[in-house]
Amino acid sequence: MGTVNPSTVGRPRDPETTAGILDATLRLLAEHGYAATSTAQVAALARASKATLYRRWPNKFALVADAIRHGLRTANPVTPRTGDPREDLVRVLENLIRAMADTPLGGAIRAVISDAAHEPQLSAALQDVTIEARERGPMRALVLEAQDRGMLAPDTDIGLLLDLMLGAPYFQLIVRQVTPRPEQARALVDQLIPLPSTPHPGSRP
């Protein structure tokens, strides 16, 4: 079976019901792990029927991936626009790290990563989530705005910079097994997009 985009599957009903199911999924993943979490448990915790789940998600892989997507989107429901893209990036990263540290999102991510190595469908679904976060999440637009304003050189590898910026808290969470701290967001932005004394040549005025 090919990879299914959970956001387009089924016939979503009440958005609050959908959010409640996804929140329940994150909580169970964080508390019990991927293998020990069942759709029946999710339905019971969310006070929804299994039929309600399967109208929205065709399988557990799709549900889990959409729960991670939901957690990431909830961390930054609106892109901040202060007029300073560096400051906006700090806020987005702070929100992401705070969600990893203070909500079930961080535990859920830890729970699914090891299983994804042995579950091709789960791995493919999570890959879709990470690509979406990197390519269509709030950080890319802010990094490009910083580049346009001369805070980054015109030939900066934007994809690599996003990998470093997004990857740092994930590395701490998954590899080092420590909880990232929101105050690290500013230090990370300062390291990757230092305040230039003069605009880089070739940038927009």
Side-chain angles (χ1 to χ4, degrees), residues 109-194:
I109 291 172
R110 277 197 184 116
V112 300
I113 289 300
S114 60
D115 286 275
H118 310 289
E119 296 276 7
Q121 288 180 294
L122 176 62
S123 179
L126 291 176
Q127 181 73 4
D128 289 343
V129 175
T130 58
I131 290 172
E132 179 181 318
R134 181 180 184 268
E135 300 301 322
R136 297 187 293 279
M139 294 183 65
R140 175 173 283 274
L142 293 173
V143 168
L144 289 173
E145 183 182 346
Q147 185 181 43
D148 287 345
R149 294 192 180 198
M151 299 175 183
L152 291 167
D155 61 351
T156 296
D157 187 331
I158 299 299
L160 178 59
L161 190 147
L162 286 168
D163 284 345
L164 292 170
M165 197 171 289
L166 285 166
Y170 284 97
F171 182 87
Q172 291 180 311
L173 183 74
I174 298 166
V175 179
R176 292 188 59 212
Q177 295 287 304
V178 298
T179 302
R181 304 191 310 275
E183 59 267 24
Q184 294 172 328
R186 187 171 299 279
L188 185 57
V189 172
D190 287 345
Q191 288 290 322
L192 295 174
I193 311 180

Side-chain angles (χ1 to χ4, degrees), residues 22-23 37 44 52 73 81 96 110 134-136 168 194:
L22 296 173
D23 287 338
T37 295
T52 300
R73 288 176 174 171
R81 292 292 182 183
L96 173 62
R110 277 197 184 116
R134 181 180 184 268
E135 300 301 322
R136 297 187 293 279

Side-chain angles (χ1 to χ4, degrees), residues 49-134:
S49 68
K50 290 183 69 174
T52 300
L53 268 67
Y54 285 114
R55 279 197 297 268
R56 290 160 167 79
W57 304 277
N59 51 49
K60 181 179 171 181
F61 309 120
L63 171 61
V64 167
D66 214 18
I68 301 295
R69 179 184 286 109
H70 167 73
L72 294 173
R73 288 176 174 171
T74 302
N76 283 289
V78 178
T79 301
R81 292 292 182 183
T82 65
D84 180 352
R86 291 181 78 261
E87 187 63 31
D88 294 338
L89 280 165
V90 170
R91 294 188 182 188
V92 169
L93 267 175
E94 283 178 342
N95 291 341
L96 173 62
I97 294 172
R98 190 172 291 110
M100 288 181 171
D102 298 339
T103 77
L105 177 63
I109 291 172
R110 277 197 184 116
V112 300
I113 289 300
S114 60
D115 286 275
H118 310 289
E119 296 276 7
Q121 288 180 294
L122 176 62
S123 179
L126 291 176
Q127 181 73 4
D128 289 343
V129 175
T130 58
I131 290 172
E132 179 181 318
R134 181 180 184 268

